[in-house]
Amino acid sequence: MTPSLPASPAPSITARLEGVRSRIADACRVAGRDPASVTLTAVSKTQPPAAIDAILAAGQRVFGENRVQEAQGRWTARRPGLPGLELRLIGPLQTNKAAEALALFDVIETLDREKLARALATAAEAGGMTPRVLVQVNTGAEPQKAGVPVDGVEGLIARARDLGLIVEGLMCIPPVEADPGPHFDLLAELARRNGLAVLSMGMSGDFEAAVARGATHVRVGSALFGERIGL
């Protein structure tokens, strides 16, 4: 009986990070874009401390988190020793967590309703902050998914600006089974119409297609950390 060969070791987080950065650069070159125009947001939700420490050691400094409380536990102690760290909230935000979110995150990517805009504005005024936000758009009109409907985008942008929020751009999560390309094209067109420069779109399975369509930020988790176990 022929002995089985040992399994190849899983690639390290450093190797995965280098690979993703290389793929982003390649996608930019194909699209005629400067690779520096695309920011890699590492989706660090549910990751253990060792994984976070490893990717920090490899030089990654922009991270996306889904939940305020989980992010507080992960980043509050680390942040003072990490100049240049940028934290982006990429999960739904409850209005009663607005103040906590603004105290931790540099950018809120999931503004999707006027009530939340008012809560962020109130918390910002109380804390002397000027929030940077993205409007999340439900490009697939999925009833179970967060995000403002396409026909409500311009109104929410206007209201958020009236309230003193800095609306930097748009964010979307296309339907799982759909071709993401048309959703990315739609988001880019909505951003163009509203004079917005930031497009947060594209994840592990489709970030190259997003880069081809103008993404400025791609949110990558499993391609960096491997498939999550559990949560």
Side-chain angles (χ1 to χ4, degrees), residues 48-223:
I52 301 301
D53 291 340
I55 201 165
L56 284 168
Q60 179 64 24
R61 287 296 181 271
V62 182
F63 293 87
E65 290 278 351
N66 269 38
R67 298 173 182 167
V68 175
Q69 189 170 359
E70 181 187 341
Q72 287 171 328
R74 194 187 326 284
W75 295 108
T76 299
R78 283 186 172 94
R79 181 154 218 172
L82 292 170
L85 180 71
E86 181 174 272
L87 299 179
R88 306 177 72 91
L89 181 65
I90 60 173
L93 178 60
Q94 298 175 337
T95 55
N96 64 357
K97 295 286 187 181
E100 291 178 72
L102 291 181
L104 180 64
F105 290 99
D106 299 287
V107 182
I108 308 296
E109 293 202 6
T110 51
L111 174 61
D112 63 353
R113 59 201 186 278
E114 182 178 340
K115 184 178 180 182
L116 179 56
R118 285 190 272 107
L120 289 169
T122 298
E125 184 176 6
M129 297 174 281
T130 308
R132 299 160 55 201
V133 304
L134 306 187
V135 168
Q136 181 177 356
V137 184
N138 189 344
T139 57
E142 297 176 275
Q144 80 283 7
K145 187 175 286 184
V148 64
V150 171
D151 62 4
V153 170
E154 292 186 1
L156 182 56
I157 291 170
R159 184 63 182 132
R161 286 170 170 166
D162 287 344
L163 288 166
L165 304 179
I166 299 174
V167 182
E168 294 187 332
L170 305 177
M171 180 267 239
C172 76
I173 305 172
V176 174
E177 302 299 328
D179 175 1
H183 296 270
F184 297 153
D185 287 336
L186 173 58
L187 200 73
E189 174 60 19
L190 289 168
R192 187 195 64 77
R193 286 185 210 163
N194 289 278
L196 298 172
V198 175
L199 286 171
S200 175
M201 57 189 195
M203 297 184 286
S204 288
D206 57 20
F207 66 80
E208 286 146 320
V211 169
R213 290 163 171 83
T216 63
H217 292 70
V218 294
R219 309 179 305 273
V220 179
S222 59

